[in-house]
Amino acid sequence: MHELKTPLGIINLNLDLLARKSGENKHINRMKIALKQIQINYESIEYYIKNQKVKYSKDKINLSEYLFTRVDFFEDIAKSKFMTIETNIENEVFVYMNLLELQRIIDNTIINAIKYSKPESKIEVYLKSEFDTCFFTIKDYGYGIKDTKSVFQRFTREDQTQGGFGLGLNIIKTICDKNGINVKLESKEDVGSIFTYEIEIYKRKFLDKLEDEQ
């Protein structure tokens, strides 16, 4: 995995330099999109290999701000399939967990929504809080999932033609179980899927705000 990381970084750097020199064009954009997809797969495999050997420390994270940055990351991938990503994200929602693990949940859910959605459809990203819990939801209008019970199992793929390793949702389930996150999946064939994550809000949020004001 380490030997893959360096060439990926070199490709990314040189694509940026090429874009600055010659200007953005459809060929450069396609390569950037492909590179992002490779990066997501790389990061998932790396986490799968390391998660039982590495201790992932937790931090206070502004989930609202971080969600916006990840949506921005996926915008061009969605546009390549003539799709749009719509957001309704509540501001200043904080959680306490490891950033890398949070990213795996967000990235793997969004990339699956893009991968298994119909062209020219949309993906909706929601974040709202109620009392001590926030609800992070990703809704797509894709092909739906036939077997919602088995999709979280390792190496399970609904559509073999889409590629991938069948690790994304299994990694999500592993992280959710580890962090006490409740994940709900609703899906109907030819209608779409809704993934909802119930995450405990960072308990010191209001104390921190008071301390900042003082």
Side-chain angles (χ1 to χ4, degrees):
M1 294 305 298
H2 178 72
E3 291 176 359
L4 286 174
K5 193 169 188 176
T6 299
L8 284 175
I10 293 171
I11 294 168
N12 193 35
L13 176 62
N14 281 275
L15 273 177
D16 286 339
L17 292 173
L18 182 62
R20 291 176 192 174
K21 184 176 181 180
S22 61
E24 294 282 351
N25 59 60
K26 65 179 181 180
H27 303 294
I28 291 175
N29 287 335
R30 285 173 183 168
M31 285 189 284
K32 284 186 173 181
I33 290 168
L35 190 62
K36 283 185 177 182
Q37 292 170 321
I38 294 171
Q39 181 182 334
I40 294 163
N41 283 328
Y42 169 87
E43 289 170 350
S44 288
I45 296 169
E46 184 180 44
Y47 179 82
Y48 175 75
I49 292 171
K50 291 182 176 181
N51 80 91
Q52 293 183 347
K53 302 175 183 178
V54 176
K55 184 178 180 180
Y56 293 96
S57 59
K58 297 183 179 183
D59 293 294
K60 174 186 174 184
I61 301 169
N62 188 328
L63 178 55
S64 306
E65 289 184 359
Y66 193 62
L67 262 180
F68 280 119
T69 65
R70 299 320 295 163
V71 169
D72 287 343
F73 178 87
F74 284 99
E75 284 282 2
D76 51 359
I77 301 178
K79 286 179 181 177
S80 71
K81 289 187 66 175
F82 307 101
M83 297 171 61
T84 58
I85 302 178
E86 298 180 0
T87 60
N88 186 353
I89 297 173
E90 182 180 327
N91 292 323
E92 300 298 299
V93 176
F94 292 84
V95 296
Y96 186 71
M97 63 182 297
N98 178 265
L99 183 62
L100 187 147
E101 292 187 323
L102 179 62
Q103 182 181 339
R104 295 272 49 78
I105 292 175
I106 296 170
D107 286 12
N108 287 343
T109 310
I110 293 179
I111 196 65
N112 273 356
I114 294 173
K115 186 185 293 186
Y116 296 107
S117 285
K118 302 169 185 176
E120 301 183 14
S121 63
K122 66 178 179 178
I123 294 169
E124 298 172 3
V125 179
Y126 301 96
L127 178 66
K128 65 176 182 177
S129 61
E130 293 181 7
F131 303 106
D132 294 332
T133 304
C134 67
F135 299 85
F136 161 48
T137 300
I138 295 179
K139 180 178 181 179
D140 68 62
Y141 296 86
Y143 300 104
I145 298 171
K146 298 176 184 177
D147 188 354
T148 58
K149 293 182 180 179
S150 68
V151 290
F152 290 103
Q153 296 175 8
R154 187 172 46 182
F155 307 129
T156 298
R157 285 184 291 158
E158 278 277 309
D159 186 348
Q160 301 293 326
T161 65
Q162 291 292 339
F165 300 96
L167 288 175
L169 291 180
N170 178 254
I171 287 171
I172 286 174
K173 188 66 167 61
T174 298
I175 295 171
C176 287
D177 290 347
K178 176 181 175 181
N179 290 274
I181 298 170
N182 186 31
V183 53
K184 294 182 179 179
L185 169 59
E186 303 171 55
S187 189
K188 291 184 180 179
E189 287 189 64
D190 295 319
V191 175
S193 302
I194 305 172
F195 285 82
T196 300
Y197 301 93
E198 299 179 8
I199 309 174
E200 185 179 1
I201 291 174
Y202 181 68
K203 289 184 172 62
R204 281 187 53 85
K205 174 184 173 184
F206 301 106
L207 292 175
D208 288 346
K209 187 175 180 181
L210 287 172
E211 290 172 2
D212 291 340
E213 290 175 350
Q214 292 171 356

